[in-house]
Amino acid sequence: MSDQPLQPYPAPGQPIDELQLAEIKGAILAKLRLAIGKDAGMATKRDWYMATALALRDRIVHRWLMVDKQSYDAGRKRVYYLSLEFLIGRLFTDGLNNMGLLPVFETALGDLGVGLPELRKLEPDAALGNGGLGRLAACFMESMATLAIPAVGYGIRYDFGLFRQFISHGWQQEYPDEWLSFGNPWEFQRPEVVYHVHFGGHVEHTAERGRDRPIWCPAETVEAIAYDTPIVGWRGQHVNALRLWSARAPDPLNLDVFNTGDYISANAEQSRAEAICKFLYPNDESAAGRELRLRQEYFFVSASLQDLVKRHLDADGQLRSLAQKVAVQLNDTHPSLAVAELMRILIDLHNFRWEEAWKITVATFSYTNHTLLPEALETWPVELFERLLPRHLEIIYRINVNHLAQAEARCPGDTDFRAAVSLIDERDGRKVRMGQLAFVGSHRINGVSAMHSDLMKETVFHDLNHLYPSRITNKTNGITFRRWLMLANPKLTSLLRETCGEAVLDDFSLLGNLEDHASDSAFQQRFRDVKYHNKLALARTIFERLNIKVDPSALFDVQIKRIHEYKRQLLNIVEAVALYQAMKDEPDRNWVPRVKIFAGKAAASYHYAKLIIKLINDVADTVNHDPDLKGRLKIAFLPDYNVSLAEVIIPAADLSEQISTAGMEASGTGNMKLALNGAVTIGTLDGANIEIRDHVGAENIAIFGMEADDVMIRRKQGLDATDVVRRSPRLSRAIAAIENGEFSPGEPNRFARIADAIRFHDPYMVAADFDSYYEAQRGVDARWQVIPAWTRASILNVARMAWFSSDRTIREYAEDIWHVPVRPSPKAAAKRGAKRGAGG
């Protein structure tokens, strides 16, 4: 295998290199025999998948080791991305695509009598995340590799991740997601990479050379074991690592206790350690659940910082240069403990003085905030912190003393201001504010859309922004087009390559060339053919999973998000009830056929969100079996939403539901994926919807409802919506049907709680925005019926989405926050080439 750059991605119909094809077939067969232990005649489909994955992995590792050595030899600055979630999905076709090997592997497997599409379905989605936060981290890791930024992602290797979602009689049921049950060909266990993570105990203070020397005497130690997964950039030019930590006890079995016959107690220490990496987001309704969550966060933070400090010392020999050689990005508040942990490492283990350690810490960290919901900023009871992390609480107290001194200097005598910015919340029991800690300990704090970043300054971080006015910046999220266009929608990608040129695979700004064809009737028909093909595939999936037949020529109306009140799946299903009632009233009207598609998980302890899922399924059961509708309205809730299911739904969507309460969605990335694949957005002016509108054009998006300022005013006026409901006959009737048991005849009061909430306590503005939403949907119906105009809007959504690439986002992080060089953009490289040519 050569060290030279890989060949360009093969054009459609381009002949496969016969020597390379023979090499790939030989490699797959060798892996089948030597790694799997099977002959071709006895191999199962899973055996073939594992052998093929291992053959591909060999080629990835070759590049990985080479570029890693080169970056260390060159002394390049490295980025470390700390995230509790990495929703990486399936890596098999992702690796094939980015290495430029998808066509040759597909041909090789075909020659061996195996279909690539069959094999790709055997790979489970890695259960390492839940929603947008984790998927964003995955997109960013891929873009960092594509832009040749030396980087490591740090997280937890969950045994079961969040959960597998089943729908039983309309109710969400949770089961373990056993994604590792057949092994994981993409990871490398590093048994030699072990770090001790401590909990509990007490802190002793001694005097040493006139300085206070704290000594943490922990009561418990857990070992963190590293597992590395290669993350391949586009064209395989650069490969980074995702390093995940698994937990174990130093003494996995108490042999003395075991020999007494108490076999369960003998494993107690190991079970307690392993609980750290069993599940993502343990139920925090109980004290034990909250403690486990804090143990998870510190476990992965401590192991990661110990690892990156060791890497830096091995490369540079001393820690004073840490901030010049290392950038650490905290993805949301979960890794906030890194601020206190780095201070502990510098002061307690490496004898730095406080002031220098703090200067290094702030210069090293930056923090991405993903939410304006105060409860999502995380707080921990001081009592729990003191019991679990006593040394870190001391450090946080001292950070707070210095921090509050700055606050006093800025606003002398203002006790309310000091209380607002303090790292300790003194109300209703003392709590440590993790969002505040991340803010104070970072040199840059970024929001993830222009609106979100502005609102951070006005709401959750208003006072901190006053104290540190230069820290907040904006970095609007992006998505990797390699996954969400090239892999998810190959037929559209082929059309784009033909229309915009092969260079579009490297320079997505060339998508803009589609604008020249947006009104061309022949091109429009080809574009519609691609969409129809994708809708057929989704219709098959809906039938296979739900036994519901849907018409692929209907408008596919999609809302795919975690189930939360602010995402407003409730608004969507209440509008579906009102539409259903209108169709029943006027059965002969020329209604637009519509399929409403929902997918998403509710947190295990979020009982109201689970009730919304039940309502969606109960309404679907009634609507889908009503003969009066003649199939013109169907509702489908697809269970166990994950990356692979998203790759089927998104290319088929006609309408993208981005209907969160204004001012509550930080950014969204599903909105970008759907628009990139030609869906027209219906949404509020919230998160990145604003920037999508500005790029695709207000005429190519459907905006409705209150804006963020309107929502804040209404909240101040009160949340009782009885007058709003009374003034809306459609809404009143829909609520009455829900409340009176029309969709739950066996249990008439099942949804009374939902009806009461809409009427009497409406913080998410379901009632207040209902009429505007309903009218916007009827406007969508009218636009759908003018086929050329709808198709033009769909094409222009694709053509104008290039700015939302995660490559652009990562360039901005690299230039403004991390200060690391990146591979030049295709346009910049072309300009430099032209200048060199002119000079030569």
Side-chain angles (χ1 to χ4, degrees):
M1 286 175 284
S2 170
D3 286 350
Q4 296 303 311
L6 300 176
Q7 293 302 307
Y9 198 86
Q14 180 178 320
I16 300 294
D17 183 284
E18 292 298 327
L19 289 176
Q20 187 185 35
L21 180 63
E23 179 197 353
I24 297 296
K25 285 194 286 190
I28 294 172
L29 289 171
K31 289 296 180 185
L32 191 63
R33 293 177 65 89
L34 302 177
I36 310 301
K38 293 279 189 77
D39 284 321
M42 300 295 292
T44 66
K45 288 288 192 292
R46 190 173 297 279
D47 295 331
W48 281 108
Y49 160 69
M50 292 293 287
T52 307
L54 291 171
L56 171 62
R57 192 181 74 170
D58 284 353
R59 285 147 181 78
I60 292 171
V61 168
H62 177 74
R63 183 68 55 175
W64 181 19
L65 297 179
M66 183 186 72
V67 299
D68 199 48
K69 182 179 184 302
Q70 288 173 348
S71 66
Y72 270 113
D73 288 348
R76 294 186 61 189
K77 188 174 184 179
R78 305 180 80 80
V79 174
Y80 296 98
Y81 197 83
L82 272 61
S83 179
L84 207 56
E85 297 186 43
F86 286 95
L87 200 59
I88 55 177
R90 294 170 172 167
L91 294 180
F92 182 39
T93 45
D94 198 46
L96 285 172
N97 185 60
N98 278 14
M99 290 291 287
L101 295 171
L102 186 57
V104 67
F105 265 74
E106 186 168 24
T107 303
L109 286 167
D111 290 350
L112 294 169
V114 183
L116 178 63
E118 300 172 73
L119 298 194
R120 68 182 296 185
K121 292 177 183 177
L122 294 173
E123 180 181 9
D125 278 44
L128 300 173
N130 175 33
L133 178 80
R135 186 52 229 173
L136 181 77
C139 285
F140 280 5
M141 287 299 299
E142 195 267 4
S143 280
M144 281 188 267
T146 292
L147 297 179
I149 297 172
V152 177
Y154 283 122
I156 294 178
R157 182 181 181 266
Y158 302 105
D159 293 341
F160 300 109
L162 189 65
F163 55 77
R164 290 188 68 197
Q165 180 195 56
F166 287 82
I167 302 298
S168 177
H169 303 290
W171 291 101
Q172 172 178 293
Q173 302 289 325
E174 300 100 22
Y175 294 90
D177 187 347
E178 300 180 271
W179 71 288
L180 290 169
S181 57
F182 287 95
N184 179 6
W186 305 111
E187 69 181 10
F188 292 85
Q189 184 180 6
R190 307 295 194 194
E192 75 283 3
V193 181
V194 180
Y195 296 101
H196 288 172
V197 178
H198 305 300
F199 296 98
H202 64 280
V203 181
E204 296 178 355
H205 289 265
T206 62
E208 186 176 289
R209 297 180 183 176
R211 290 174 58 187
D212 174 63
R213 180 166 177 77
I215 301 172
W216 183 14
C217 306
E220 178 189 1
T221 297
V222 174
E223 290 184 342
I225 315 299
Y227 288 77
D228 288 350
T229 299
I231 303 296
V232 187
W234 176 234
R235 297 200 184 280
Q237 297 301 298
H238 191 96
V239 182
N240 283 325
L242 173 61
R243 174 160 284 187
L244 304 175
W245 301 106
S246 187
R248 74 181 182 196
D251 299 308
L253 182 69
N254 189 324
L255 199 56
D256 291 340
V257 175
F258 185 87
N259 287 333
T260 68
D262 190 353
Y263 308 127
I264 294 176
S265 297
N267 285 285
E269 188 178 347
Q270 179 69 357
S271 296
R272 179 171 166 80
E274 288 180 348
I276 290 173
C277 58
K278 284 295 181 190
F279 291 98
L280 170 68
Y281 300 145
N283 189 335
D284 59 3
E285 287 186 318
S286 67
R290 288 190 292 275
E291 178 176 326
L292 178 56
R293 177 76 170 268
L294 184 56
R295 283 167 62 84
Q296 281 185 329
E297 293 184 2
Y298 178 64
F299 167 79
F300 111 85
V301 157
S302 178
S304 303
L305 285 180
Q306 289 182 67
D307 190 54
L308 72 87
V309 164
K310 182 180 183 300
R311 287 169 181 261
H312 176 74
L313 285 172
D314 289 346
D316 214 55
Q318 48 87 28
L319 284 175
R320 283 187 169 82
S321 63
L322 186 69
Q324 287 73 52
K325 293 293 187 177
V326 164
V328 180
Q329 189 72 34
L330 307 178
N331 190 31
D332 215 12
T333 57
H334 311 128
S336 299
L337 271 165
V339 173
E341 176 68 357
L342 183 55
M343 288 295 288
R344 184 188 72 84
I345 290 171
L346 292 174
I347 293 168
D348 296 5
L349 304 184
H350 294 276
N351 299 314
F352 277 77
R353 292 187 179 275
W354 180 274
E355 292 74 15
E356 186 176 12
W358 183 242
K359 184 178 180 181
I360 292 170
T361 295
V362 173
T364 299
F365 287 119
S366 46
Y367 160 51
T368 301
N369 173 271
H370 285 277
T371 182
L372 298 173
L373 296 174
E375 64 268 23
L377 292 178
E378 286 196 315
T379 60
W380 297 108
V382 165
E383 176 277 325
L384 174 61
F385 228 98
E386 190 168 30
R387 177 163 48 84
L388 212 59
L389 300 168
R391 176 58 184 143
H392 296 77
L393 186 60
E394 287 186 348
I395 291 170
I396 289 169
Y397 280 156
R398 183 164 177 189
I399 293 171
N400 202 35
V401 167
N402 296 342
H403 165 59
L404 291 180
Q406 287 183 260
E408 175 63 17
R410 174 61 65 92
C411 299
D414 191 337
T415 56
D416 290 341
F417 180 70
R418 290 202 305 276
V421 300
S422 176
L423 305 187
I424 309 298
D425 186 349
E426 305 284 353
R427 303 165 300 174
D428 303 321
R430 302 178 74 233
K431 297 182 287 290
V432 181
R433 293 165 160 165
M434 304 308 290
Q436 314 278 72
L437 177 63
F439 192 111
V440 172
S442 299
H443 68 282
R444 280 285 187 275
I445 295 87
N446 71 279
V448 288
S449 71
M451 178 185 184
H452 171 233
S453 298
D454 288 341
L455 285 174
M456 280 202 309
K457 297 175 184 178
E458 299 170 14
T459 58
V460 290
F461 293 134
H462 174 268
D463 296 295
L464 284 169
N465 183 56
H466 181 64
L467 187 56
Y468 305 102
S470 62
R471 291 195 181 182
I472 294 180
T473 185
N474 178 59
K475 296 289 169 277
T476 297
N477 283 343
I479 57 172
T480 170
F481 287 16
R482 270 80 58 180
R483 166 81 70 160
W484 295 109
L485 178 63
M486 295 173 64
L487 277 178
N489 203 339
K491 285 194 172 294
L492 178 58
T493 302
S494 293
L495 181 60
L496 296 176
R497 293 167 74 181
E498 181 183 334
T499 308
C500 303
E502 286 296 312
V504 74
L505 300 181
D506 298 285
D507 182 1
F508 293 113
S509 69
L510 297 176
L511 288 173
N513 294 340
L514 283 182
E515 294 205 28
D516 296 338
H517 306 271
S519 299
D520 180 84
S521 58
F523 183 81
Q524 284 193 356
Q525 185 59 55
R526 296 181 67 193
F527 188 88
R528 284 194 296 271
D529 289 344
V530 168
K531 179 67 74 172
Y532 188 78
H533 169 86
N534 295 331
K535 292 170 76 172
L536 278 172
L538 178 54
R540 284 194 296 270
T541 298
I542 292 171
F543 183 73
E544 289 166 2
R545 298 194 180 195
L546 302 175
N547 199 32
I548 297 172
K549 290 184 178 180
V550 300
D551 179 2
S553 65
L555 189 156
F556 277 21
D557 175 354
V558 167
Q559 188 174 19
I560 42 175
K561 298 175 179 294
R562 65 186 171 94
I563 311 299
H564 194 288
E565 288 169 87
Y566 90 83
K567 305 281 190 182
R568 297 205 294 191
Q569 286 90 355
L570 183 56
L571 176 61
N572 192 346
I573 196 61
V574 172
E575 189 273 338
V577 170
L579 177 59
Y580 169 63
Q581 291 170 330
M583 287 179 160
K584 293 280 284 183
D585 290 343
E586 299 181 78
D588 297 325
R589 182 173 163 182
N590 184 29
W591 294 101
V592 168
R594 184 185 288 246
V595 181
K596 278 187 171 283
I597 298 160
F598 295 85
K601 297 178 182 180
S605 60
Y606 197 168
H607 303 295
Y608 191 74
K610 289 182 171 182
L611 189 62
I612 292 171
I613 291 176
K614 174 61 172 169
L615 175 62
I616 293 169
N617 282 287
D618 281 2
V619 172
D621 192 51
T622 299
V623 168
N624 294 344
H625 294 95
D626 192 325
D628 292 344
L629 298 189
K630 302 175 184 176
R632 289 177 293 184
L633 178 62
K634 292 288 182 78
I635 300 172
F637 187 100
L638 284 162
D640 205 34
Y641 181 60
N642 57 20
V643 175
S644 297
L645 182 55
E647 290 171 349
V648 178
I649 296 173
I650 288 171
D654 296 305
L655 187 66
S656 166
E657 297 270 355
Q658 308 298 327
I659 60 175
S660 55
T661 311
M664 302 200 73
E665 183 71 85
S667 170
T669 53
N671 48 5
M672 303 170 191
K673 296 161 193 166
L674 286 152
L676 177 65
N677 282 272
V680 173
T681 300
I682 181 169
T684 50
L685 281 178
D686 196 29
N689 288 355
I690 298 170
E691 286 145 298
I692 290 175
R693 177 202 62 181
D694 293 344
H695 280 82
V696 306
E699 69 281 7
N700 299 310
I701 191 172
I703 297 296
F704 75 93
M706 291 185 291
E707 297 185 23
D709 290 343
D710 303 321
V711 170
M712 285 191 274
I713 291 169
R714 180 161 180 82
R715 284 210 176 101
K716 290 176 182 176
Q717 293 172 342
L719 299 176
D720 188 302
T722 50
D723 285 345
V724 175
V725 175
R726 190 180 303 115
R727 290 194 301 268
S728 174
R730 285 194 192 95
L731 178 57
S732 298
R733 187 181 174 196
I735 293 173
I738 292 167
E739 184 177 39
N740 297 333
E742 185 173 330
F743 304 104
S744 55
E747 189 185 339
N749 295 322
R750 180 182 295 155
F751 302 116
R753 180 185 174 193
I754 287 177
D756 285 348
I758 296 173
R759 283 199 189 97
F760 305 121
H761 186 72
D762 189 28
Y764 300 102
M765 308 296 152
V766 172
D769 268 351
F770 175 81
D771 281 343
S772 177
Y773 178 57
Y774 186 90
E775 292 304 322
Q777 288 285 22
R778 303 294 72 78
V780 167
D781 287 343
R783 293 168 72 176
W784 175 259
Q785 291 175 309
V786 185
I787 295 173
W790 181 275
T791 308
R792 183 176 187 276
S794 181
I795 293 169
L796 290 176
N797 267 269
V798 179
R800 296 171 178 176
M801 285 300 293
W803 188 79
F804 294 93
S805 165
S806 52
D807 294 354
R808 183 270 312 159
T809 312
I810 290 300
R811 283 186 189 280
E812 292 181 4
Y813 273 96
E815 292 166 3
D816 183 44
I817 295 177
W818 302 332
H819 305 297
V820 296
V822 300
R823 176 172 288 148
S825 67
K827 281 189 174 181
K831 285 181 181 177
R832 277 208 296 271
K835 286 181 179 178
R836 282 197 299 269

